[in-house]
């Protein structure tokens, strides 16, 4: 399973033509305690960089962007019910939504873990 990262601090775990999307450890650290998430509708087709949801914390609110174009095929209802999962397990149980990729070539422009680590440190 390949993992990619965006400059907007989202991660994607790619499995075939489907990707699971969430926010990175860096993002949840910067936001602080997450208190609310707004997730996209299942079946929505969104373009790369289009706002797909909102995450609100005690410090701020931020959009969650589509890392690549595609159709939302599942959202994490557990996260909707317990937004703190974005803090306690951002790369696991705190995932936001799953998408069916419409243009897999867009993945080529995203960062791998090493590049993202350097990007987020800088």
């Amino acid at each position: 399973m390949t993992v990619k990262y965006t400059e907007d601090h989202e991660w994607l775990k790619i499995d075939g033509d489907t990707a699971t999307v969430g926010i990175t450890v860096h993002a949840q650290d910067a936001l602080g305690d997450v208190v609310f998430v707004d997730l996209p509708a299942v079946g929505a087709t969104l373009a790369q960089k289009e706002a797909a949801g909102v995450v609100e914390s005690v410090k701020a609110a931020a959009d969650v962007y589509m890392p690549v174009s595609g159709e939302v095929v599942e959202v994490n209802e557990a996260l909707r019910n317990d937004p703190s999962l974005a803090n306690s397990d951002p790369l696991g149980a705190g995932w936001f939504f799953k998408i069916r990729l419409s243009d897999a070539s867009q993945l080529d422009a995203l960062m791998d873990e090493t590049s993202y680590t350097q990007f987020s440190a800088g």
Side-chain angles (χ1 to χ4, degrees):
M1 187 173 297
T2 303
V3 181
K4 296 281 193 169
Y5 299 86
T6 72
E7 292 182 356
D8 296 315
H9 305 286
E10 289 101 10
W11 56 261
L12 301 81
K13 290 182 183 170
I14 299 118
D15 185 13
D17 69 344
T18 303
T20 304
V21 180
I23 62 171
T24 64
V25 171
H26 176 85
Q28 68 85 29
D29 276 346
L31 285 166
D33 293 337
V34 174
V35 295
F36 175 78
V37 294
D38 181 32
L39 301 172
V42 173
T45 300
L46 302 171
Q48 185 178 34
K49 297 189 183 274
E50 191 171 350
V54 175
V55 58
E56 292 182 17
S57 72
V58 294
K59 292 182 183 175
D63 286 334
V64 177
Y65 297 101
M66 283 290 279
V68 293
S69 300
E71 177 187 356
V72 177
V73 295
E74 185 177 350
V75 297
N76 187 353
E77 293 296 340
L79 178 66
R80 193 188 313 261
N81 296 328
D82 183 5
S84 71
L85 290 172
N87 295 115
S88 63
D89 192 8
L91 303 177
W95 62 275
F96 278 57
F97 53 88
K98 295 184 180 184
I99 57 175
R100 182 172 302 115
L101 307 174
S102 63
D103 182 358
S105 70
Q106 292 174 337
L107 297 170
D108 296 340
L110 302 179
M111 294 178 274
D112 62 15
E113 185 172 357
T114 301
S115 297
Y116 178 73
T117 300
Q118 293 170 346
F119 171 80
S120 61

